[in-house]
Amino acid sequence: MEKFKNFINGQWVPAVSGKTFLNYNPANLEDIIGEFAMSEQADVDNAVAAAKAAFETWHLVPAPKRGDMMRKAGDIFNRRKKELARIMTREMGKPTFETEGDVQEAIDTAYYAASETRRLFGHTVPSEMENKMNLTFRCPVGVVGVITAWNFPIAVPSWKILPAIAAGNTVVFKPSKDAPHSGVIFAEILEEAGFPKGVFNVLLGTGSMGDMIVHHPDVKIVGFTGSTEIGCHIGEIGGRLNKRVSLEMGGKNAQIVMDDANLELALDGAIWGAFGTTGQRCTATSRLIVHKDVYEKFLDMLRKRAESLRIGPGLEATTDMGPVIHLKSLENCDRMTKLAVSEGGRLVTGGKRVTDGDLAKGCFYAPTIIADCDETHTLFNEEVFGPVLCVAKADSFEHAMKLMNHSEYGLSGSIYTKNVNNAWTAARDIEVGICYINAPTIGAEAHMPFGGVKGTGNGHREGGWTVFDIFTEWKTVYFDYSDKLQRAQIDNY
Ligand code: NAD
C-alpha cells in the first residue's frame, strides 16, 4: 500500500509517533487510497518551528520575486491538472470534469496572486505638518495555519495558501483527513516551484491535530474552511489567544424562481446548484423557492431532470453525479430526508441509497427533492451537505425574499427573474456575501471576494484583492524631514 508522509522544512517525514491512518475511495470503500501520517503535537511543533525560521528570510524576499515562484507553481498545477484531478476524484468522489475545475481554480489563483505581488499598494498621504510625509504599507504577519474541508481539496487551500505565501508569510497546512492525498500533491508542486524549505509545510491528520495548530503560540493567523460548529470553536480559541482567524463556514443557500423567469435557464441553474459536487459545495443550492404560479410545473421539470442524472464513480466519463464523502454522510442524507417527510414534506424523487451493481460498494445517494417545505421544517434550516434539495412555494416576490432571508447562514443566494426592479431589489436585500442574478448559487471567480455573512463567516473575504487583508497587517510610517520636533495637531490646538 502506498504510504504518504508529512512535508516539513523541505523534507518528507513520517509522523514522529510513527502512527498512520487509512483513507478510502467513497465510490468504492474496498479501494484503500493509502496509509497517511497521523500527526500529533511533536509534528505540529516541528512544522511550526520550520515555518517560523523560514519566515525570517522569506518576508525579506522582494514580493515580485515571490510572485515569480508563484507563477511557476501555477504552471506546474497546469501541467499536472489531469493527473491531479484523477487523484482528487479517487479520494473525494466528484467527477473529473469537476476536479479539473478544482485544479483550474488553483492555477487562476496562483497567477492572480503572482500578479498581485506587484500591486501590494499602500497609500501616500499628505501630513498635517510641514516637511513630513505619511505612508502605509502592508506587512506579512508570520506563520499562518491553514485548515480546510475535503470538498474542494485543491481550490479552497489555494485561496489561502497562495496569497498568504505571496504576501511574505509562511504556512503550515492541515488538509482534511478525507482528502489528504491532494494535500501531499500541493506540497510536491510548491516544492518543485522552488519555494525555500520551511515556507510551506503539510501535516496530515485529524481535527484534534488542527486544534494543536490553532493553539500553537507561534501561529499568528488561522485560515479555516469547514463547518460552522468547528469554525466557531476555532473562533473562540482565536479570541482568547488574540489571533486573527478567518472563518469560511456552512451554508443553506437558496435560489428563487419567479413566475417571469426563463424556466429552462432556472432549471439548469437549480440542477447544477443542487446536485453539482453531489450537493457538497458550501455554495450548493439546498433551498429552492418557487413562485406559486409556476410551482407545480417547475417541480415536474425538476423531477424529470434529476431522474435523468447518471450516478456513478467520478472516474467514469459518463458520470454526472458521484458519491457522498462517507457512510456517515449517507446516513445523514437519509435521516434528513425522512425527517423532512415526517414534518410534512412531499418526496418528489430520490430519498434512497443507490446500490445498483458495484455502486453498492460506495456511498451513493439518489438526487432527492422534497417539496412543500417552509421555514418551520428542519430541512429548510439545517445544512445537509449532500444531494437533498428542499422546495418551498412563494406567494409573491416579497414572500420569496422573506423565505430567502430566513436562514442562520448567509453565503450565497440567487434569483431568476426578468423583472429588473425585483432583480436589483434582490441584489440589495438578499442577506449573503455572494449574490447571483439569473445564475446558480455556485460559480465563484478567483479574482472576486468570496465569503459569507451571518453564520457563514466572521467578516473576512478570501479571493480577489480582499484576501490580502487577511494575510497582512498595515503599518503606518510618518517620515519627518523638518529637522525639528513637530507636534501632531492634537498637541498644538
Ligand atoms: P469540518 O468542520 O468537519 O472539518 C474542516 C476541517 O477542520 C478539517 O480539516 C478537520 O480535520 C478540521 N477540524 C476538525 N475539528 C477541528 C478542531 N477541533 N480544531 C481544528 N481543526 C479541526 O468540515 P468538513 O466536513 O470537512 O466540511 C464540510 C463543511 O465545510 C460544510 O459545513 C461546508 O459548508 C463547509 N465548507 C465551507 C466553505 C466556505 O467557503 N464557506 C467551503 C467548503 C466547505
Side-chain angles (χ1 to χ4, degrees), residues 147-152 156 159 174-178 205-212 214 224-228 230-231 233-234 237 248-251 281-282 326 383 385 411 450 456 462:
I147 299 172
T148 53
W150 48 268
N151 63 333
F152 277 91
V156 165
W159 287 351
K174 189 204 100 57
S176 165
K177 189 169 172 286
D178 295 313
T206 60
S208 58
M209 184 269 289
D211 217 78
M212 293 167 194
V214 179
F224 170 83
T225 294
S227 61
T228 297
I230 303 294
H233 166 74
I234 290 175
I237 302 168
E248 297 288 350
M249 303 180 281
R281 288 195 189 199
C282 50
H326 40 44
E383 185 181 44
F385 224 56
L411 185 52
F450 181 96
T456 298
E462 298 185 332

Side-chain angles (χ1 to χ4, degrees), residues 62-363:
K65 280 205 169 19
R66 299 195 295 255
D68 288 343
M69 281 179 231
M70 201 53 73
R71 206 169 297 106
K72 198 162 172 213
D75 292 344
I76 303 166
F77 273 115
N78 206 8
R79 193 190 77 219
R80 297 189 64 179
K81 182 173 174 178
K82 285 199 181 301
E83 170 214 346
L84 180 45
R86 292 187 76 78
I87 286 170
M88 223 187 305
T89 293
R90 184 171 167 223
E91 73 174 352
M92 59 70 64
K94 64 189 175 188
T96 48
F97 69 86
E98 289 198 41
T99 43
E100 283 176 24
D102 204 307
V103 186
Q104 186 58 46
E105 187 73 12
I107 298 166
D108 294 341
T109 301
Y111 293 149
Y112 182 73
S115 68
E116 284 297 301
T117 58
R118 290 185 182 267
R119 231 180 348 247
L120 291 170
F121 300 141
H123 288 85
T124 313
V125 185
S127 167
E128 292 169 354
M129 284 158 257
E130 291 172 355
N131 295 325
K132 191 173 173 190
M133 183 53 76
N134 303 341
L135 54 123
T136 62
F137 53 89
R138 289 184 183 275
C139 303
V141 182
V143 180
V144 174
V146 171
I147 299 172
T148 53
W150 48 268
N151 63 333
F152 277 91
I154 292 290
V156 165
S158 81
W159 287 351
K160 303 173 200 295
I161 293 164
L162 303 182
I165 291 178
N169 303 286
T170 56
V171 168
V172 174
F173 171 40
K174 189 204 100 57
S176 165
K177 189 169 172 286
D178 295 313
H181 195 175
S182 301
V184 168
I185 306 285
F186 213 114
E188 284 177 15
I189 288 173
L190 294 203
E191 184 184 25
E192 187 186 338
F195 289 93
K197 63 183 177 129
V199 167
F200 180 62
N201 307 274
V202 174
L203 291 176
L204 308 172
T206 60
S208 58
M209 184 269 289
D211 217 78
M212 293 167 194
I213 294 176
V214 179
H215 274 99
H216 199 293
D218 288 330
V219 172
K220 302 300 179 194
I221 301 178
V222 177
F224 170 83
T225 294
S227 61
T228 297
E229 183 196 349
I230 303 294
C232 289
H233 166 74
I234 290 175
E236 273 180 44
I237 302 168
R240 216 173 339 110
L241 301 182
N242 191 24
K243 295 182 187 227
R244 185 181 299 175
V245 174
S246 166
L247 304 172
E248 297 288 350
M249 303 180 281
K252 190 74 197 176
N253 316 291
Q255 174 184 316
I256 294 175
V257 182
M258 290 302 294
D259 50 343
D260 58 10
N262 174 341
L263 291 189
E264 284 297 335
L265 186 68
L267 178 67
D268 287 345
I271 291 288
W272 177 226
F275 304 123
T277 321
T278 321
Q280 302 170 112
R281 288 195 189 199
C282 50
T283 50
T285 308
S286 54
R287 298 180 296 148
L288 195 59
I289 299 162
V290 185
H291 191 276
K292 63 179 179 0
D293 291 350
V294 292
Y295 185 75
E296 288 301 336
K297 180 180 176 188
F298 196 71
L299 269 181
D300 198 44
M301 293 165 73
L302 205 56
R303 179 185 57 75
K304 284 188 187 126
R305 187 74 78 80
E307 287 174 356
S308 74
L309 291 174
R310 293 163 300 182
I311 300 162
L315 288 173
E316 285 177 13
T318 50
T319 294
D320 295 317
M321 195 183 94
V324 294
I325 188 68
H326 40 44
L327 289 173
K328 208 170 133 209
S329 173
L330 200 62
E331 283 158 20
N332 188 45
C333 291
D334 215 38
R335 184 183 65 81
M336 289 297 281
T337 300
K338 290 196 171 100
L339 184 62
V341 171
S342 76
E343 289 179 353
R346 171 173 36 126
L347 183 63
V348 175
T349 187
K352 58 177 187 303
R353 184 176 178 177
V354 180
T355 52
D356 310 336
D358 277 351
L359 299 193
K361 293 180 188 166
C363 309

